[in-house]
Structure formats: structure tokens, C-alpha cells
Amino acid sequence: MNVTRISAVGAVAASTVLLLAGPAFAHVGVQPVGPAEKGGYATVNVKVPNERDDASTTKLEVSFPTDHPLSSVMPQPVPGWTVKVEKSKLDKPLKVHGKEITEAVSKVTWTGGKIGPGEFQQFPLSLGQLPEDTDQLVLKAIQTYDNKEVVRWIEEPKEGEEEPQSPAPVLKLTEPSGEDHHGAGAKGADDEKDGEKDAKTDAKTDAASHNEKSDKDHKGDKTENAADSSDTTARTLGVIGIIVGVAGVAFGVLAGRRRAS
């Protein structure tokens, strides 16, 4: 086999690998920013690559599961894109932080922007409260191009089976890492308990400071009273000394006059 034939075979093999690997990297997907813990909240990015060489993506629709509805879905603004959030009534209300939720976000749609050939765009979302009774959330997506082509990323991947041709984005959920994974409600209760402990500690500290201050003030009063008493005694002795001195001088003068007479 000559060098030219080896090069040709290598090129064909490389092209085949690229063709087979290309679609795997071109799927619309969802990636968490940090942990996506069960019962908690998470920030995720919906990543949308453009698969066409002659068309641009101009619209994206992401639908959320109805069997595990989310009480909160908040999109982060993306420059050049307009976002629309749609809600639907729930068959069974949710209880979140002690409140009953009767509707949840069912779909988020981005329009007005453009993802050109060879480019991708990320669409950030804040999601919560994540369910505790499942290991993943399937977010079905529909990608529309400016040539009117529509690609539906809605096929749910099955564990142990081959990946479908148009797999839906899947958000994997992890086990909670702490006791306060149930969200702001549990955290708020813990904060309230901590606040009560701090209040009791502050009260004890204030009482101790007050008692210490009272002792200091009492000792200060004693010292001040003793100083005043000493000052009064010194003044009295001084006056007596002056009187005695004057009397002595007068006695001396009278004695001198008697001797002179």
C-alpha cells in the first residue's frame, strides 16, 4: 500500500469519526452551574449549538415536566433575545415554604436573536424548588431556524439503551449535601433558632456587663466618698493648725510686752 492510499484511507476514517461524533456534540443540552441538589435550587444553562451551515437558529422553546412541576423558573436576560415565560394550572397544588402553589411554569421561549453557523448560545435559568423523588428532570426543547426548519429535541433517553436521534435535554439531580437542602424554609427555621440563641447570649452578655458596670460604679462611689472624707479631714486639721498658730503668735506678743513693762 503506497503513501497516497494510506492517506486516503486515513482521511476517510477521520471523516467517518467526525460524522459519527458530530451529532453527539451538537445536541441541545442543559448544564447546571454548581450542584443541582434534590429539594434545593439551581442555576442552569440551556446550551444551544447551531447545527446548520446555511441557516441560523432564531427561536428556542423549552418545556418543563408536568409530573415534577417547578414553582420557580426565572430566566436571566440574554442580550439580543426576548424571553417569554408561560404558566399553567396544576392538577395538584404544590406546597412550598408553607404556601400553596396552584400554577407552575410550563414553557420558556426565546426569540429575536440569532445563533449563526458554527456558533452556540447559552440561556441561563434559575430553577426551584427541585423535586426530591426523582433523579433527573427532562426538559424538552424545540429549535427553530430562519429557513423554517424545526428540530424537536423531545426524545427521552433511556438508561441502557442507545441514545435517540433527537434526545431531550436532561438535568441530573444529586443527593443533598447538607441538612438544610429543603430550601429557604428549613434554612429560615435554622436562622430563627440561631437568632433566638444569639438573643439569649446577648441578653446574658448585657446582664453581665450591667452588673460589672454597677460594681464598678459602686466601687467608684466608695472611692469618691473616701476621697471626700479625707479632703474634709485635711481641711479641718488645716484650720485648727492656723488657729493654733495665730494663738501662739498672740501669746508671744503679750508675753513680750509684759517683760518690757
Side-chain angles (χ1 to χ4, degrees):
M1 184 180 292
N2 56 31
V3 176
T4 304
R5 183 173 298 179
I6 294 175
S7 300
V9 171
V12 171
S15 300
T16 304
V17 170
L18 290 175
L19 287 172
L20 293 175
F25 291 100
H27 298 161
V28 173
V30 57
Q31 301 171 338
V33 181
E37 298 181 353
K38 298 178 182 179
Y41 290 78
T43 299
V44 302
N45 286 322
V46 180
K47 186 176 181 181
V48 184
N50 191 82
E51 293 186 307
R52 303 295 178 259
D53 296 330
D54 56 353
S56 297
T57 298
T58 56
K59 183 179 180 181
L60 175 69
E61 301 169 76
V62 177
S63 297
F64 295 87
T66 56
D67 56 342
H68 293 100
L70 301 175
S71 60
S72 175
V73 177
M74 294 187 295
Q76 179 177 324
V78 178
W81 293 82
T82 300
V83 62
K84 179 182 178 182
V85 179
E86 299 180 37
K87 294 184 178 182
S88 60
K89 292 289 184 180
L90 297 176
D91 296 333
K92 183 180 179 180
L94 293 175
K95 284 189 177 181
V96 181
H97 307 324
K99 296 182 179 180
E100 190 175 83
I101 306 299
T102 59
E103 61 180 11
V105 173
S106 55
K107 185 167 68 173
V108 178
T109 304
W110 289 268
T111 56
K114 181 177 290 189
I115 307 173
E119 299 176 347
F120 77 94
Q121 178 67 56
Q122 293 191 125
F123 299 90
L125 291 170
S126 175
L127 307 180
Q129 186 174 1
L130 299 177
E132 301 180 16
D133 56 350
T134 184
D135 295 327
Q136 65 182 26
L137 288 178
V138 179
L139 311 179
K140 297 181 179 181
I142 298 178
Q143 183 178 11
T144 303
Y145 291 87
D146 56 7
N147 62 358
K148 307 304 181 183
E149 180 185 1
V150 176
V151 180
R152 302 178 183 275
W153 305 99
I154 60 175
E155 298 179 53
E156 184 174 350
K158 301 293 184 181
E159 188 175 356
E161 299 181 4
E162 292 186 2
E163 186 179 62
Q165 185 176 359
S166 300
V170 176
L171 176 63
K172 297 292 184 179
L173 304 182
T174 60
E175 294 297 328
S177 59
E179 296 180 356
D180 59 345
H181 66 279
H182 292 287
K187 187 176 186 302
D190 292 339
D191 291 342
E192 185 177 355
K193 292 180 180 178
D194 292 339
E196 291 177 356
K197 292 181 181 179
D198 293 340
K200 292 179 180 178
T201 302
D202 292 341
K204 291 181 179 179
T205 303
D206 292 342
S209 300
H210 178 72
N211 292 336
E212 183 179 357
K213 184 176 184 302
S214 299
D215 292 341
K216 289 181 178 180
D217 292 343
H218 184 63
K219 292 179 181 179
D221 291 341
K222 287 183 178 180
T223 303
E224 186 176 355
N225 291 337
D228 291 342
S229 177
S230 299
D231 187 54
T232 302
T233 303
R235 289 180 182 178
T236 302
L237 292 176
V239 172
I240 294 174
I242 292 172
I243 294 173
V244 171
V246 172
V249 171
F251 179 77
V253 172
L254 291 175
R257 286 181 180 178
R258 288 179 182 178
R259 289 176 183 176
S261 302

